[in-house]
Short mmCIF file of all heavy atoms in Angstrom, two decimals:
data_model
loop_
_atom_site.label_atom_id
_atom_site.label_comp_id
_atom_site.label_asym_id
_atom_site.label_seq_id
_atom_site.Cartn_x
_atom_site.Cartn_y
_atom_site.Cartn_z
N GLY B 7 41.83 -5.12 -52.72
CA GLY B 7 41.15 -5.40 -53.97
C GLY B 7 39.67 -5.70 -53.85
O GLY B 7 39.01 -5.95 -54.86
N ARG B 23 23.25 12.48 -46.80
CA ARG B 23 21.93 13.02 -47.15
C ARG B 23 20.81 12.26 -46.44
O ARG B 23 19.85 12.85 -45.96
CB ARG B 23 21.73 12.99 -48.66
CG ARG B 23 22.55 14.06 -49.39
CD ARG B 23 22.21 14.16 -50.87
NE ARG B 23 22.59 12.98 -51.63
CZ ARG B 23 23.82 12.72 -52.09
NH1 ARG B 23 24.80 13.56 -51.83
NH2 ARG B 23 24.07 11.64 -52.80
N THR B 25 20.92 10.59 -43.62
CA THR B 25 20.91 10.76 -42.16
C THR B 25 20.85 12.22 -41.74
O THR B 25 20.57 12.51 -40.58
CB THR B 25 22.17 10.13 -41.53
OG1 THR B 25 23.34 10.80 -42.03
CG2 THR B 25 22.25 8.63 -41.81
N ASP B 33 40.51 7.08 -44.57
CA ASP B 33 41.10 5.92 -45.22
C ASP B 33 42.51 5.72 -44.67
O ASP B 33 43.34 6.63 -44.75
CB ASP B 33 41.13 6.13 -46.73
CG ASP B 33 41.58 4.89 -47.48
OD1 ASP B 33 42.68 4.38 -47.19
OD2 ASP B 33 40.85 4.46 -48.38
N THR B 41 53.60 8.16 -44.47
CA THR B 41 54.40 8.06 -43.24
C THR B 41 55.01 6.67 -43.12
O THR B 41 56.18 6.53 -42.79
CB THR B 41 53.54 8.38 -42.01
OG1 THR B 41 52.99 9.69 -42.17
CG2 THR B 41 54.34 8.30 -40.73
N SER B 42 54.21 5.65 -43.39
CA SER B 42 54.74 4.28 -43.32
C SER B 42 55.83 4.07 -44.35
O SER B 42 56.84 3.43 -44.06
CB SER B 42 53.61 3.27 -43.53
OG SER B 42 52.77 3.27 -42.41
N HIS B 54 57.29 0.11 -49.80
CA HIS B 54 55.95 -0.31 -50.21
C HIS B 54 55.53 -1.66 -49.64
O HIS B 54 54.44 -2.13 -49.92
CB HIS B 54 55.86 -0.36 -51.74
CG HIS B 54 56.16 0.94 -52.37
ND1 HIS B 54 55.33 2.03 -52.26
CD2 HIS B 54 57.23 1.35 -53.10
CE1 HIS B 54 55.86 3.05 -52.91
NE2 HIS B 54 57.01 2.67 -53.41
N PRO B 59 57.55 -8.38 -42.05
CA PRO B 59 57.46 -8.55 -40.60
C PRO B 59 57.64 -7.23 -39.85
O PRO B 59 56.94 -6.99 -38.86
CB PRO B 59 58.59 -9.54 -40.28
CG PRO B 59 58.77 -10.32 -41.54
CD PRO B 59 58.51 -9.32 -42.65
N LEU B 65 54.37 -1.32 -37.21
CA LEU B 65 53.67 -0.17 -37.76
C LEU B 65 52.17 -0.38 -37.92
O LEU B 65 51.39 0.57 -37.83
CB LEU B 65 54.28 0.22 -39.12
CG LEU B 65 55.74 0.65 -39.08
CD1 LEU B 65 56.26 0.87 -40.49
CD2 LEU B 65 55.91 1.89 -38.24
N ARG B 101 36.26 -7.56 -32.81
CA ARG B 101 36.47 -6.27 -32.16
C ARG B 101 35.75 -5.11 -32.84
O ARG B 101 35.62 -4.05 -32.25
CB ARG B 101 37.96 -5.93 -32.12
CG ARG B 101 38.75 -6.81 -31.23
CD ARG B 101 40.18 -6.34 -31.20
NE ARG B 101 40.94 -7.06 -30.21
CZ ARG B 101 42.20 -6.81 -29.96
NH1 ARG B 101 42.84 -5.87 -30.62
NH2 ARG B 101 42.83 -7.49 -29.04
N VAL B 110 34.33 4.02 -27.76
CA VAL B 110 33.20 4.90 -28.05
C VAL B 110 32.08 4.68 -27.04
O VAL B 110 31.91 3.58 -26.51
CB VAL B 110 32.66 4.71 -29.49
CG1 VAL B 110 33.73 5.08 -30.52
CG2 VAL B 110 32.16 3.30 -29.72
N ALA B 118 29.92 -2.20 -38.89
CA ALA B 118 31.11 -2.66 -39.59
C ALA B 118 30.67 -3.45 -40.82
O ALA B 118 29.96 -4.45 -40.70
CB ALA B 118 31.98 -3.52 -38.68
N ALA B 134 45.15 -4.36 -61.85
CA ALA B 134 44.71 -3.20 -62.62
C ALA B 134 45.09 -1.87 -61.97
O ALA B 134 45.45 -0.92 -62.67
CB ALA B 134 43.20 -3.25 -62.83
N TRP B 142 54.27 -6.98 -53.29
CA TRP B 142 54.55 -8.21 -52.55
C TRP B 142 53.38 -9.17 -52.68
O TRP B 142 53.58 -10.37 -52.91
CB TRP B 142 54.82 -7.92 -51.07
CG TRP B 142 55.24 -9.16 -50.34
CD1 TRP B 142 56.51 -9.60 -50.14
CD2 TRP B 142 54.37 -10.13 -49.73
NE1 TRP B 142 56.50 -10.80 -49.45
CE2 TRP B 142 55.18 -11.14 -49.18
CE3 TRP B 142 53.00 -10.25 -49.59
CZ2 TRP B 142 54.67 -12.24 -48.52
CZ3 TRP B 142 52.48 -11.35 -48.93
CH2 TRP B 142 53.31 -12.34 -48.41
N ASP B 148 50.28 -16.85 -53.51
CA ASP B 148 49.90 -18.05 -52.76
C ASP B 148 50.07 -17.85 -51.26
O ASP B 148 49.25 -18.32 -50.47
CB ASP B 148 50.70 -19.27 -53.23
CG ASP B 148 50.22 -19.77 -54.59
OD1 ASP B 148 49.06 -19.49 -54.95
OD2 ASP B 148 51.01 -20.43 -55.28
N GLY B 159 30.60 -17.64 -39.00
CA GLY B 159 30.07 -17.93 -37.67
C GLY B 159 29.97 -16.69 -36.81
O GLY B 159 29.53 -15.64 -37.26
N PRO B 173 27.91 -6.35 -57.69
CA PRO B 173 26.71 -5.84 -57.02
C PRO B 173 25.81 -5.05 -57.97
O PRO B 173 26.29 -4.45 -58.93
CB PRO B 173 27.26 -4.95 -55.92
CG PRO B 173 28.57 -4.48 -56.46
CD PRO B 173 29.10 -5.63 -57.28
N TYR B 178 23.47 -1.90 -53.51
CA TYR B 178 24.00 -0.68 -52.90
C TYR B 178 22.92 0.06 -52.13
O TYR B 178 23.15 0.54 -51.02
CB TYR B 178 24.60 0.25 -53.97
CG TYR B 178 25.92 -0.22 -54.53
CD1 TYR B 178 26.01 -0.64 -55.86
CD2 TYR B 178 27.07 -0.23 -53.75
CE1 TYR B 178 27.22 -1.06 -56.39
CE2 TYR B 178 28.29 -0.65 -54.28
CZ TYR B 178 28.36 -1.08 -55.59
OH TYR B 178 29.55 -1.49 -56.12
#
Side-chain angles (χ1 to χ4, degrees):
R23 287 188 293 279
T25 62
D33 187 304
T41 302
S42 290
H54 301 291
L65 298 174
R101 292 183 173 182
V110 297
W142 185 92
D148 286 337
Y178 286 112

